[in-house]
Amino acid sequence: MRQKKYRGIERKLALWGWGFNIPSLVFFAVFSFAPIIYAIYTSLYDKRVLSLKAPNFVGLKNYIDIFTNKGIGFLDSLKSSAIFSFGAFFPLVIFSLLFSVLVYNNYKASTQRKFEILWYTPAVISSVVATTIWMLIFDPRGLGNQVVNFILNTPGVDHRWTSNPSMLRFVTIMVYFWKYIGYYIVLFITGLGTIPGTLYEAARIDGASRMQCFRRITLPLLKPTVSLVSVLCLIHCLKTFSTQYMFYQSGAPLKPINVISLSIYTTGITNQRIGRACAMSIILFAAMIILSIAQLKLINADDIDY
Amino acid sequence: MSSEIKSPVYKIYKVLITILLILLVLLTVTPLVFMVCASFMTSKQILAIPFTWIPRPFQFKNFYNAVAGTLHTWTFPRNMLNSFIVSGTVTLTTLLLAGMSGYGLSKFRFKGKNFVFITIMSTMMIPFEAIMIPMYMIAQKLNLMNSYRGLIIPYLVSAFGIFQMRQYLLTFPGEFLDAARVDGMGELGIFFKLVMPNSAPVLATLAITTFRSQWDNLLWPLLVTQNAKLKTVPLYITSFSEEKHADEGALMAVALLASLPMLIAFFALSKYFIGGSEVYESRKG
């Protein structure tokens, strides 16, 4: 009798467990899984919104097109995304690691906090505002030219920040670096905080120098944080849209900054080549899956027990 | 350690490091100061060579132009309100639904729990940028275009929010729940009166993350709203900066006004912005 009642409670609780999850599951089914499945399906059709006739099944033609037809410019897009991602990724990870270690090792917690707040502020404002500010700074008559001309002692030179393709790429990376450097520093400082201070004390007593402490204790123990932040940063960079869109809308040349997400937008929404845009989406999705699996592997591989 | 602090080499080292750190502060803060200064300047002064930092004269009219718009359509206040409505609603639904899911996944045992958890987590691999085209078509089918519904519904809950709630609630003492059950409290009562109020720190962090990401959201509102009255702040800024004879001073005033709510929240609640990950770390172990 007692046993039976107990099982009743178990079952009741199991139902509640399901019940609490059903709203979220329904939501993800409609707004995550259905769209991605629909994107895979549509990428196999020659779908154009403006044409009234039913779309033709074309198999993998959309994929073949975007990788072989240079006129579509998807290969340029991949290149732009790669340049942007790695161009932003390396400085972000290297400098945020450097600055977090410097501030963590040399200042007491309250001073650290002040630096963190000042560095983090750009991350608080939106990408749209960030881009607007930098577009004005990099105006031909703007502050950017004046500062650079002052440093290089080249009065009156216009560095064509937004019209020269390489400069434009540099500027978009610069905006991104400026906005997110503080964010990654904060992540690294959190990681540094998990390394027990006793390890450093022990090393000091044994006569280790600062540099030795950094190389033998900090770096190896921070490795899980470094690898996680790296993947997170690459994922962020690969998804960038707002900065490039703003520059494009303000009249900058599209080609150097036509990152994958912007390319999906212009192909699908502006040019109404839905099937082709879906094929591009699936390529982006595949890249995300690879990065996410790497992330999972890193989380599981690098667990440290103190 | 103490002998090292007094050594001159260490002093020089520390000065050099301080200079380096302050250089980064200059890089991060100067453009923001530029925005604030420029919002009070005439366009002529913003683009004058050489640049001067103190507005002369103080052009308060920029803020009038920013709010009224170049064509005096007065859409900015409405767009600001839209941003608050959309971000606020999304934040509330995320807290509720992520709280429910996180609670269900951490404090209940049921068949298929792992499957549910993995299914929800796997949606993190689907970037919005990759599903924008199908979402656009779904929005047209479900009649979500040009409406608050359309701006809000695709963001009702996030997998990351569920993950955060679950991690936090894993350490929530189960005895409290059992005690409440013995006392005859219903399951919904336990969730709303016991679990949610005791999750305040993680809810605050999640609320800030969610509100911010909606406040910044450009891509989806760009797709789903054509009507100027339903646009959100990022779209207002985009259209303002696109106009041919843009007034740079007013543009910076718009940028400042759009950033003020977040900047104020940040300086008041910086511990939840910066310490967000710490809150979750501290309860993880």
Side-chain angles (χ1 to χ4, degrees), chain B residues 149-162:
Chain B
R149 304 191 293 288
L151 288 167
I152 291 165
I153 290 175
Y155 294 97
L156 286 178
V157 65
S158 70
F160 180 69
I162 293 174

Side-chain angles (χ1 to χ4, degrees), chain A residues 38-45 58-60 62-63 275-276 278-279 282:
Chain A
Y38 193 55
I40 295 171
Y41 170 82
T42 314
S43 73
L44 304 174
Y45 285 81
V58 292
L60 294 175
N62 283 322
Y63 292 92
R276 191 180 278 170
C278 283
I282 299 306

Side-chain angles (χ1 to χ4, degrees), chain A residues 21 24 47 107 146 249 281, chain B residues 14 18 51 101 130 137 242:
Chain A
N21 275 295
S24 302
K47 188 170 171 63
Y107 288 92
Q146 292 180 40
Q249 287 292 307
S281 305
Chain B
K14 184 137 190 195
T18 311
F51 182 77
S101 255
M137 292 156 80
E242 277 163 22

Side-chain angles (χ1 to χ4, degrees), chain A residues 27-252:
Chain A
F27 171 82
F28 288 120
V30 178
F31 291 103
S32 283
F33 292 113
I36 199 72
I37 292 166
Y38 193 55
I40 295 171
Y41 170 82
T42 314
S43 73
L44 304 174
Y45 285 81
D46 182 24
K47 188 170 171 63
R48 299 173 204 194
V49 167
L50 292 177
S51 73
L52 289 170
K53 66 174 198 281
N56 294 324
F57 180 78
V58 292
L60 294 175
K61 186 172 175 298
N62 283 322
Y63 292 92
I64 295 165
D65 277 355
I66 60 174
F67 279 110
T68 54
N69 187 342
K70 289 219 163 60
I72 297 169
F74 187 65
L75 290 175
D76 289 326
S77 255
L78 289 177
K79 191 179 148 204
S80 299
S81 265
I83 292 176
F84 176 82
S85 299
F86 287 109
F89 165 77
F90 284 111
L92 270 175
V93 171
I94 292 170
F95 281 105
S96 55
L97 179 59
L98 175 76
F99 279 102
S100 57
V101 171
L102 286 180
V103 81
Y104 189 79
N105 285 344
N106 293 295
Y107 288 92
K108 55 181 194 293
S110 59
T111 322
Q112 257 180 52
R113 199 65 172 181
K114 281 173 196 135
F115 274 116
E116 277 183 274
I117 288 177
L118 289 172
W119 290 335
Y120 194 87
T121 317
V124 176
I125 64 169
S126 65
S127 327
V128 173
V129 170
T131 313
T132 315
I133 298 173
W134 282 98
M135 282 201 299
L136 197 50
I137 291 177
F138 286 127
D139 187 279
R141 296 158 291 168
L143 193 58
N145 271 331
Q146 292 180 40
V147 170
V148 170
N149 285 338
F150 177 76
I151 294 170
L152 300 177
N153 197 19
T154 52
V157 176
D158 175 14
H159 295 274
R160 301 176 61 224
W161 300 103
T162 54
S163 50
N164 177 319
S166 330
M167 286 305 236
L168 182 57
R169 280 181 174 143
F170 170 77
V171 168
T172 52
I173 291 169
M174 174 82 208
V175 174
Y176 214 77
F177 179 84
W178 174 74
K179 184 160 160 29
Y180 288 109
I181 180 76
Y183 174 78
Y184 290 109
I185 290 177
V186 167
L187 288 183
F188 274 126
I189 288 180
T190 311
L192 285 167
T194 60
I195 301 175
T198 46
L199 288 178
Y200 291 103
E201 280 163 32
R204 296 299 235 173
I205 290 167
D206 292 346
S209 72
R210 273 168 182 283
M211 204 53 211
Q212 280 172 320
C213 280
F214 177 70
R215 281 190 43 208
R216 308 277 173 176
I217 301 175
T218 313
L219 268 190
L221 291 182
L222 202 59
K223 210 184 128 221
T225 315
V226 174
S227 38
L228 273 180
V229 170
S230 301
V231 179
L232 189 72
C233 183
L234 267 181
I235 290 178
H236 274 180
C237 292
L238 206 55
K239 295 192 336 183
T240 178
F241 174 79
S242 308
T243 308
Q244 281 78 5
Y245 175 81
M246 295 279 292
F247 273 102
Y248 166 55
Q249 287 292 307
S250 74

Side-chain angles (χ1 to χ4, degrees), chain A residues 1-10:
Chain A
M1 185 66 191
R2 236 186 117 155
Q3 187 68 23
K4 210 174 177 183
K5 197 178 176 200
Y6 178 72
R7 274 158 101 202
I9 288 174
E10 285 272 283

Side-chain angles (χ1 to χ4, degrees), chain B residues 9-272:
Chain B
V9 177
Y10 179 78
K11 270 187 184 158
I12 295 171
Y13 167 78
K14 184 137 190 195
V15 168
L16 285 177
I17 285 173
T18 311
I19 291 173
L20 204 63
L21 299 187
I22 289 174
L23 274 179
L24 186 62
V25 171
L26 283 179
L27 174 74
T28 54
V29 172
T30 313
L32 294 170
V33 176
F34 172 80
M35 169 177 77
V36 176
C37 292
S39 66
F40 292 103
M41 291 177 186
T42 58
S43 302
K44 219 174 129 194
Q45 194 191 349
I46 295 173
L47 297 172
I49 299 172
F51 182 77
T52 44
W53 287 89
I54 295 161
R56 192 170 299 162
F58 266 86
Q59 185 82 348
F60 293 106
K61 208 171 150 245
N62 284 342
F63 286 90
Y64 174 79
N65 289 342
V67 176
T70 29
L71 299 170
H72 292 266
T73 44
W74 292 95
T75 46
F76 183 69
R78 179 66 202 263
N79 293 353
M80 200 84 170
L81 181 70
N82 292 343
S83 269
F84 272 110
I85 291 174
V86 172
S87 309
T89 316
V90 167
T91 305
L92 287 179
T93 62
T94 302
L95 292 185
L96 177 69
L97 291 174
M100 281 168 60
S101 255
Y103 176 52
L105 287 170
S106 57
K107 287 290 149 214
F108 290 86
R109 276 192 299 169
F110 56 92
K111 224 176 158 191
K113 186 164 100 169
N114 252 337
F115 171 75
V116 171
F117 182 58
I118 292 169
T119 307
I120 291 175
M121 287 304 109
S122 68
T123 62
M124 283 207 247
M125 291 189 205
I126 306 173
F128 188 82
E129 289 74 7
I131 52 171
M132 65 169 132
I133 305 290
M135 287 290 275
Y136 180 70
M137 292 156 80
I138 290 172
Q140 280 178 326
K141 280 260 161 60
L142 297 181
N143 197 19
L144 297 176
M145 305 296 282
N146 272 315
S147 65
Y148 284 134
R149 304 191 293 288
L151 288 167
I152 291 165
I153 290 175
Y155 294 97
L156 286 178
V157 65
S158 70
F160 180 69
I162 293 174
F163 178 72
Q164 267 193 317
M165 289 305 299
R166 172 186 175 267
Q167 295 304 95
Y168 187 84
L169 289 173
L170 277 177
T171 55
F172 193 89
E175 298 84 37
F176 287 178
L177 305 175
D178 290 335
R181 277 180 197 127
V182 170
D183 288 348
M185 213 174 182
E187 290 300 324
L188 285 176
I190 293 174
F191 173 70
F192 282 109
K193 289 184 189 148
L194 193 62
V195 175
M196 288 300 257
N198 281 303
S199 311
V202 70
L203 287 176
T205 311
L206 183 57
I208 285 175
T209 324
T210 312
F211 194 92
R212 267 172 73 190
S213 66
Q214 280 312 304
W215 191 263
D216 290 2
N217 196 356
L218 171 72
L219 179 53
W220 183 243
L222 186 68
L223 295 176
V224 88
T225 57
Q226 276 91 40
N227 184 343
K229 283 215 161 123
L230 277 160
K231 288 186 173 174
T232 52
V233 173
L235 285 173
Y236 183 80
I237 301 174
T238 321
S239 60
F240 203 94
S241 72
E242 277 163 22
E243 279 163 23
K244 276 269 154 58
H245 301 286
D247 174 354
E248 281 85 3
L251 180 60
M252 285 296 102
V254 170
L256 179 61
L257 289 175
S259 314
L260 269 184
M262 281 297 124
L263 286 175
I264 291 169
F266 174 60
F267 288 115
L269 304 165
S270 62
K271 115 175 142 176
Y272 290 108

